[in-house]
Each structure stands twice: as structure tokens, then as C-alpha cells.
């Protein structure tokens, strides 16, 4: 990191990605502490945050969003990590994929809800209305954090995407719609129904297709083909200090 900083703007160091608690989970927090100590030793702890990336399989209850809670059998793993993130003023990295939720429950989840194309609210959770699944899943994570003592923690969406081939609802049109609408949703900078007024820092997955992955749809999340040609165009224009930027 020091060999490239500050020419490269490092924001986060993810210690583990979607680690299964029963398979090496006990090593994650000690490794996070070691990395944090190294970052602090370079006096960069306020600029580079140490975290880990989790997926939605750690969630036990996910409906409605306000009832979001981590599984009981993973609390030994996630609760101390939440404490560490809070004590270091970091953020939880969460990989949020409406695609997986949709294909896992097409009976109850509509494609338009997953693709940000629903014209109206689909799910009401008390006074909170949800027009898209992305917001609902993110609020599930916020609720789970609250129940694990991390109600003040921000969540960074470290991965989100939609495959263009290889599975149910995996098509170029759906992938284009998802990425385009997700980018537009993030640019609104309005937060979620549970946490309004707070922007959602989000990273798209992935840059390129990965032909070594399985099942088939896992090969096709890229915005670009392996030959570096874009699959489709996406507008990333936004506003920074009143000026339009790309």
C-alpha cells in the first residue's frame, strides 16, 4: 500500500471476502486487527479503513427489512467484528445481489422489483415503502447491525451486479437495466427508507467476465468482455460540488 499511496486512493482494505464462519471465520478478526495496526503504524487509519466483506447468507431473518437479523449460529463471528468496526470508525462491507434473492424466490419477488423498474411501492414495512429490492436488502443489513450493537455503522455495498447470460433472468437486457438503474439510484444520494438522507457508496461487480467460475451465470457478471469491449454503455455522470462529473 505504501508503495502506491497517495498516487492510488485506497479507501478500504477488505480482510476476507464472504468468509464462511465455519471455515476460517475465527481468523478474520485477528487478521483485521493486524492489518489495522499496520495501517495505524503508517498513520493512515483515518484515511484507509480496515473491514471485511460479508454476503447475505449471514442473515437469518430478512423480511420485513426492519426485522433483519444475523443468524444465531454466526453471531460469535459477526458481533466482535461489528464491535471492532465501531471502535475503529470503519464501515461494514456488504455484497448485495438482488439477482440471487430474485432467482431464489421468483414466486414472491417480481423481476421489476429486482431491476428497479417497478412504478410504485411493492413492499410496505410499517410506514416505510420499498420500490426496489436493493433498498430492502440494504435495510435488512442495517437492521441486523442494530441488533448486533452496530446501529451507527455505515454500510458500503462492496459488490452488486447482474449476470448477462447463463441462468434464470440472466440476459443482456436485464444486466443493462440493473447496472444502469443501480447507477442512477446511487446518484440520487438519498439513502434508503430506513436511513434516508445518507448516500449509498456502491461498487459494481464486476469489471470483466470470469470464464473459470461456476455455475455458468457466475462467469457473466462483467461490464466488459475479456477482450475489453464493453457489453453495453452505462452513464455514471453525477454531481460533485454543483458540477457535473463523469
Amino acid at each position: 500500500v505504501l508503495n502506491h499511496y497517495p498516487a492510488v486512493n485506497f479507501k478500504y482494505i477488505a480482510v476476507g471476502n464472504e468468509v464462511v464462519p465455519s471455515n476460517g471465520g475465527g481468523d478474520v478478526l485477528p487478521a483485521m486487527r493486524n492489518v489495522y495496526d499496520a495501517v495505524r503504524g503508517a498513520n493512515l487509519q483515518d484515511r484507509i479503513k480496515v473491514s471485511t466483506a460479508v454476503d447475505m447468507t449471514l442473515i437469518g431473518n430478512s423480511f420485513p427489512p426492519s426485522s433483519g437479523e444475523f443468524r444465531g449460529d454466526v453471531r460469535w463471528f459477526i458481533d466482535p467484528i461489528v464491535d471492532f468496526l465501531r471502535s475503529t470508525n470503519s464501515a461494514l462491507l456488504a455484497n448485495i445481489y438482488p439477482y440471487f434473492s430474485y432467482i431464489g424466490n421468483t414466486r414472491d419477488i417480481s423481476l421489476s422489483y429486482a431491476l428497479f423498474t417497478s412504478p410504485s411501492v411493492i413492499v410496505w414495512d410499517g410506514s416505510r415503502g420499498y420500490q426496489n429490492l436493493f433498498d430492502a436488502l440494504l435495510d435488512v443489513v442495517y437492521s441486523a447491525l442494530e441488533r448486533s450493537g452496530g446501529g451507527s455503522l455505515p454500510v458500503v455495498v462492496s459488490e452488486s451486479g447482474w449476470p448477462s447470460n447463463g441462468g434464470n433472468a440472466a440476459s443482456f437486457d436485464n444486466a443493462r437495466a440493473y447496472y444502469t438503474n443501480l447507477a442512477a439510484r446511487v446518484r440520487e444520494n438519498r439513502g434508503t427508507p430506513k436511513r434516508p438522507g445518507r448516500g449509498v457508496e456502491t461498487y459494481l461487480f464486476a469489471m470483466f467476465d470470469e470464464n473459470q467460475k461456476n455455475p455458468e451465470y457466475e462467469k457473466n457478471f462483467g461490464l466488459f468482455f475479456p477482450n475489453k469491449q464493453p457489453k453495453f454503455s452505462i452513464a455514471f455522470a453525477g454531481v460533485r460540488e454543483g458540477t457535473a462529473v463523469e
Side-chain angles (χ1 to χ4, degrees), residues 74-140:
V74 302
R75 293 290 291 268
W76 68 268
F77 166 75
I78 193 66
D79 285 9
I81 288 176
V82 169
D83 289 342
F84 171 82
L85 296 176
R86 191 178 64 248
S87 69
T88 58
N89 295 313
S90 188
L92 180 68
L93 307 181
N95 299 341
I96 293 180
Y97 287 90
Y99 175 75
F100 294 127
S101 298
Y102 169 70
I103 64 172
N105 187 10
T106 56
R107 184 190 67 180
D108 297 323
I109 300 175
S110 68
L111 185 60
S112 62
Y113 187 52
L115 291 176
F116 299 90
T117 57
S118 173
S120 58
V121 169
I122 298 295
V123 171
W124 284 99
D125 183 3
S127 61
R128 300 180 186 130
Y130 291 87
Q131 198 167 336
N132 67 78
L133 183 54
F134 178 85
D135 282 3
L137 292 173
L138 184 50
D139 276 354
V140 167

Side-chain angles (χ1 to χ4, degrees), residues 162-216:
W162 195 283
S164 59
N165 196 13
N168 182 20
S171 69
F172 272 72
D173 286 344
N174 286 346
R176 180 192 298 111
Y178 183 79
Y179 286 116
T180 300
N181 294 334
L182 174 59
R185 164 69 185 82
V186 171
R187 286 199 306 271
E188 292 174 353
N189 208 37
R190 60 176 169 81
T192 66
K194 184 176 180 66
R195 289 198 179 176
R198 181 184 301 184
V200 180
E201 186 175 350
T202 302
Y203 296 86
L204 303 185
F205 185 89
M207 183 71 77
F208 294 101
D209 283 347
E210 301 174 90
N211 64 0
Q212 300 296 313
K213 282 190 167 183
N214 284 298
E216 190 67 22

Side-chain angles (χ1 to χ4, degrees), residues 1-10 44 48:
V1 171
L2 290 178
N3 289 338
H4 302 282
Y5 182 86
V8 176
N9 180 23
F10 294 96
L44 292 174
I48 302 175

